[in-house]
Amino acid sequence: MKILAVCLGRPEVLAGKKYKTGINKLAIQGPIMVDAEGLVGDAILNRKHHGGVDQAVYIQGSLDIDWWSRELGRELHHGMFGENLVIEGLESQMLAAGDRFSIGEVLLEITSPRMPCATFAAHMQDPKIVKRYTKAARPGAYARVLKGGMVEAGQSVTYIPYEGERVTMQDMMATYGRKLSDTDRARYLSAPVHYKTRDAILAGEI
Protein backbone atom coordinates (compact mmCIF):
# COMPACT_ATOMS: atom_id res chain seq x y z
CA MET A 1 0.00 0.00 0.00
CA LYS A 2 1.02 3.60 -0.49
CA ILE A 3 -0.43 7.09 -0.22
CA LEU A 4 -1.84 8.19 -3.57
CA ALA A 5 -2.75 11.70 -2.40
CA VAL A 6 -2.56 14.01 0.60
CA CYS A 7 -5.43 16.52 0.51
CA LEU A 8 -6.18 19.77 2.30
CA GLY A 9 -9.35 21.86 2.37
CA ARG A 10 -9.76 25.60 2.13
CA PRO A 11 -12.72 27.64 3.38
CA GLU A 12 -15.46 28.13 0.78
CA VAL A 13 -19.20 28.73 0.62
CA LEU A 14 -21.19 26.11 -1.29
CA ALA A 15 -24.02 27.04 -3.62
CA GLY A 16 -27.24 27.57 -1.66
CA LYS A 17 -25.42 27.75 1.69
CA LYS A 18 -24.38 30.72 3.81
CA TYR A 19 -21.68 29.12 5.94
CA LYS A 20 -18.11 28.22 5.01
CA THR A 21 -16.90 24.63 4.79
CA GLY A 22 -13.63 22.88 4.07
CA ILE A 23 -15.22 19.71 2.67
CA ASN A 24 -13.78 20.09 -0.83
CA LYS A 25 -10.14 19.12 -0.42
CA LEU A 26 -7.44 19.18 -3.08
CA ALA A 27 -4.27 17.14 -3.43
CA ILE A 28 -1.07 18.94 -2.50
CA GLN A 29 2.56 18.38 -3.41
CA GLY A 30 5.27 17.80 -0.85
CA PRO A 31 5.24 16.79 2.82
CA ILE A 32 2.74 18.05 5.38
CA MET A 33 2.80 17.79 9.16
CA VAL A 34 0.27 15.62 10.98
CA ASP A 35 -0.34 16.40 14.63
CA ALA A 36 -2.97 15.31 17.16
CA GLU A 37 -5.62 17.49 15.46
CA GLY A 38 -4.88 16.26 11.93
CA LEU A 39 -3.12 17.74 8.92
CA VAL A 40 -1.69 21.16 9.69
CA GLY A 41 -3.36 23.77 7.46
CA ASP A 42 -6.50 21.75 6.73
CA ALA A 43 -9.66 23.89 6.96
CA ILE A 44 -12.08 22.53 9.58
CA LEU A 45 -14.85 25.07 10.07
CA ASN A 46 -17.53 23.22 12.06
CA ARG A 47 -15.68 21.94 15.12
CA LYS A 48 -18.87 20.61 16.71
CA HIS A 49 -19.24 17.85 14.13
CA HIS A 50 -15.84 17.71 12.41
CA GLY A 51 -12.26 17.42 13.47
CA GLY A 52 -11.07 16.68 16.98
CA VAL A 53 -8.66 14.08 18.27
CA ASP A 54 -10.77 11.03 17.35
CA GLN A 55 -11.48 12.15 13.80
CA ALA A 56 -8.26 14.00 13.13
CA VAL A 57 -7.55 12.36 9.76
CA TYR A 58 -10.11 11.17 7.21
CA ILE A 59 -8.93 8.23 5.09
CA GLN A 60 -10.39 7.01 1.81
CA GLY A 61 -9.40 3.91 -0.14
CA SER A 62 -8.67 4.08 -3.85
CA LEU A 63 -11.01 1.11 -4.39
CA ASP A 64 -13.87 3.06 -2.78
CA ILE A 65 -13.20 6.07 -5.00
CA ASP A 66 -13.10 3.82 -8.08
CA TRP A 67 -16.41 2.24 -7.04
CA TRP A 68 -18.07 5.61 -6.53
CA SER A 69 -16.75 6.91 -9.84
CA ARG A 70 -18.49 4.02 -11.58
CA GLU A 71 -21.63 4.40 -9.47
CA LEU A 72 -21.93 8.16 -10.12
CA GLY A 73 -20.74 7.98 -13.70
CA ARG A 74 -18.06 10.63 -13.33
CA GLU A 75 -14.46 10.96 -12.35
CA LEU A 76 -13.86 12.02 -8.76
CA HIS A 77 -10.77 14.00 -7.92
CA HIS A 78 -8.78 13.06 -4.84
CA GLY A 79 -10.27 14.95 -1.90
CA MET A 80 -13.75 15.10 -3.45
CA PHE A 81 -15.31 13.32 -0.46
CA GLY A 82 -13.38 15.47 2.00
CA GLU A 83 -10.67 12.89 2.59
CA ASN A 84 -7.20 13.83 3.80
CA LEU A 85 -5.43 10.67 2.66
CA VAL A 86 -6.13 8.40 -0.30
CA ILE A 87 -4.54 4.96 0.16
CA GLU A 88 -3.89 2.76 -2.85
CA GLY A 89 -5.59 -0.64 -2.85
CA LEU A 90 -7.70 0.05 0.24
CA GLU A 91 -11.40 -0.71 0.56
CA SER A 92 -12.72 1.02 3.66
CA GLN A 93 -15.94 -0.78 4.53
CA MET A 94 -14.21 -3.69 6.24
CA LEU A 95 -11.82 -1.53 8.25
CA ALA A 96 -12.47 -1.81 11.99
CA ALA A 97 -12.02 0.44 14.98
CA GLY A 98 -8.49 -0.16 16.22
CA ASP A 99 -6.98 -0.98 12.82
CA ARG A 100 -3.80 1.01 12.34
CA PHE A 101 -1.82 2.52 9.49
CA SER A 102 1.90 3.09 9.88
CA ILE A 103 3.25 5.74 7.50
CA GLY A 104 6.89 6.54 8.15
CA GLU A 105 6.96 7.97 11.67
CA VAL A 106 3.18 8.54 11.68
CA LEU A 107 0.80 6.06 13.30
CA LEU A 108 -2.96 6.36 12.79
CA GLU A 109 -5.75 4.35 14.47
CA ILE A 110 -9.22 3.96 12.98
CA THR A 111 -12.12 5.13 15.17
CA SER A 112 -15.32 5.53 13.12
CA PRO A 113 -16.88 5.86 9.67
CA ARG A 114 -17.70 9.15 8.03
CA MET A 115 -21.45 9.76 8.17
CA PRO A 116 -22.90 11.89 5.35
CA CYS A 117 -24.66 15.18 6.08
CA ALA A 118 -26.46 18.09 4.37
CA THR A 119 -23.14 19.79 3.63
CA PHE A 120 -21.94 16.65 1.86
CA ALA A 121 -25.14 16.55 -0.22
CA ALA A 122 -24.74 20.22 -1.17
CA HIS A 123 -21.10 19.67 -2.09
CA MET A 124 -21.97 16.66 -4.27
CA GLN A 125 -24.97 18.55 -5.73
CA ASP A 126 -27.11 15.48 -5.20
CA PRO A 127 -30.00 15.51 -2.65
CA LYS A 128 -30.15 11.70 -2.75
CA ILE A 129 -26.47 11.10 -2.06
CA VAL A 130 -26.85 10.88 1.74
CA LYS A 131 -29.20 7.90 1.46
CA ARG A 132 -27.12 6.30 -1.31
CA TYR A 133 -23.89 6.82 0.61
CA THR A 134 -25.31 5.28 3.79
CA LYS A 135 -26.74 2.29 1.92
CA ALA A 136 -23.51 1.65 0.02
CA ALA A 137 -21.53 1.57 3.30
CA ARG A 138 -18.30 2.65 1.65
CA PRO A 139 -17.68 5.58 3.97
CA GLY A 140 -13.96 5.92 4.38
CA ALA A 141 -12.80 6.11 7.98
CA TYR A 142 -11.73 8.64 10.59
CA ALA A 143 -8.54 8.06 12.54
CA ARG A 144 -6.88 9.37 15.65
CA VAL A 145 -3.18 10.22 15.55
CA LEU A 146 -1.13 8.02 17.88
CA LYS A 147 2.18 9.37 16.57
CA GLY A 148 2.55 12.56 14.56
CA GLY A 149 5.04 13.43 11.86
CA MET A 150 5.27 14.20 8.15
CA VAL A 151 3.30 12.52 5.38
CA GLU A 152 3.37 12.92 1.62
CA ALA A 153 2.11 11.22 -1.52
CA GLY A 154 4.11 8.17 -2.54
CA GLN A 155 4.92 7.03 0.99
CA SER A 156 4.53 3.35 1.82
CA VAL A 157 1.68 2.42 4.16
CA THR A 158 1.64 -0.59 6.48
CA TYR A 159 -1.77 -1.88 7.54
CA ILE A 160 -1.93 -3.36 11.06
CA PRO A 161 -5.30 -5.06 11.78
CA TYR A 162 -6.83 -4.79 15.24
CA GLU A 163 -6.45 -8.10 17.09
CA GLY A 164 -9.51 -7.76 19.33
CA GLU A 165 -13.24 -7.95 18.60
CA ARG A 166 -13.80 -6.27 15.23
CA VAL A 167 -16.31 -3.45 14.88
CA THR A 168 -16.21 -2.54 11.21
CA MET A 169 -17.12 0.66 9.42
CA GLN A 170 -19.90 -1.34 7.77
CA ASP A 171 -21.18 -2.38 11.22
CA MET A 172 -21.22 1.20 12.46
CA MET A 173 -22.99 2.47 9.36
CA ALA A 174 -25.66 -0.24 9.76
CA THR A 175 -26.30 0.54 13.44
CA TYR A 176 -26.10 4.36 13.22
CA GLY A 177 -29.04 5.99 14.97
CA ARG A 178 -30.31 2.68 16.34
CA LYS A 179 -30.29 1.11 19.76
CA LEU A 180 -27.55 -1.49 20.01
CA SER A 181 -28.23 -5.00 21.19
CA ASP A 182 -26.54 -6.06 24.43
CA THR A 183 -24.08 -8.14 22.38
CA ASP A 184 -23.19 -5.26 20.07
CA ARG A 185 -22.95 -2.83 22.97
CA ALA A 186 -20.36 -5.04 24.65
CA ARG A 187 -18.53 -5.55 21.37
CA TYR A 188 -18.38 -1.81 20.66
CA LEU A 189 -17.14 -1.02 24.16
CA SER A 190 -14.37 -3.61 23.85
CA ALA A 191 -12.95 -1.80 20.80
CA PRO A 192 -11.22 1.61 20.60
CA VAL A 193 -14.20 3.33 18.96
CA HIS A 194 -14.62 7.12 18.71
CA TYR A 195 -14.98 8.63 22.19
CA LYS A 196 -18.36 10.17 21.24
CA THR A 197 -19.66 6.70 20.34
CA ARG A 198 -18.33 5.29 23.60
CA ASP A 199 -19.87 8.14 25.63
CA ALA A 200 -23.23 7.68 23.89
CA ILE A 201 -23.20 3.93 24.66
CA LEU A 202 -22.32 4.49 28.32
CA ALA A 203 -25.05 7.11 28.59
CA GLY A 204 -27.60 4.63 27.19
CA GLU A 205 -28.27 6.77 24.14
CA ILE A 206 -27.49 4.03 21.63
Side-chain angles (χ1 to χ4, degrees):
M1 286 182 172
K2 69 177 182 180
I3 297 178
L4 288 183
V6 177
C7 307
L8 295 181
R10 56 182 177 79
E12 61 180 321
V13 178
L14 300 175
K17 301 294 182 182
K18 296 182 179 180
Y19 56 87
K20 290 183 178 180
T21 175
I23 192 171
N24 184 39
K25 303 190 188 302
L26 298 174
I28 62 166
Q29 299 297 317
I32 190 80
M33 171 63 74
V34 179
D35 63 19
E37 293 287 336
L39 276 65
V40 174
D42 188 31
I44 302 173
L45 286 304
N46 183 347
R47 288 282 176 175
K48 181 178 179 180
H49 299 293
H50 302 289
V53 294
D54 270 12
Q55 51 189 63
V57 178
Y58 176 35
I59 297 169
Q60 245 325 337
S62 67
L63 298 183
D64 296 309
I65 295 173
D66 291 344
W67 187 90
W68 276 111
S69 293
R70 294 191 297 270
E71 179 74 8
L72 299 175
R74 59 186 170 119
E75 186 175 352
L76 302 173
H77 68 75
H78 290 155
M80 182 74 179
F81 284 161
E83 67 270 18
N84 296 118
L85 301 180
V86 179
I87 297 180
E88 181 183 50
L90 176 67
E91 190 167 30
S92 68
Q93 62 184 162
M94 296 312 294
L95 286 175
D99 286 353
R100 294 180 177 184
F101 290 100
S102 177
I103 309 166
E105 60 188 340
V106 174
L107 185 62
L108 306 176
E109 183 176 72
I110 300 301
T111 63
S112 61
R114 182 269 194 84
M115 299 303 299
C117 60
T119 299
F120 178 64
H123 168 55
M124 297 299 291
Q125 299 180 341
D126 182 354
K128 297 180 180 179
I129 192 66
V130 169
K131 187 174 290 187
R132 291 175 69 181
Y133 192 89
T134 303
K135 183 178 180 181
R138 292 174 176 269
Y142 285 118
R144 59 173 66 96
V145 179
L146 298 181
K147 293 181 183 178
M150 307 297 288
V151 296
E152 65 180 312
Q155 271 186 296
S156 295
V157 177
T158 300
Y159 168 63
I160 308 166
Y162 181 61
E163 294 182 354
E165 191 84 28
R166 293 185 68 76
V167 179
T168 68
M169 301 302 100
Q170 194 172 40
D171 290 338
M172 287 194 240
M173 292 286 282
T175 57
Y176 182 75
R178 303 178 185 177
K179 281 283 188 178
L180 295 174
S181 67
D182 290 343
T183 299
D184 280 341
R185 192 174 294 112
R187 183 164 62 96
Y188 278 45
L189 289 175
S190 74
V193 296
H194 194 300
Y195 76 89
K196 289 184 179 179
T197 301
R198 179 175 298 278
D199 288 350
I201 293 171
L202 293 174
E205 297 171 2
I206 59 174

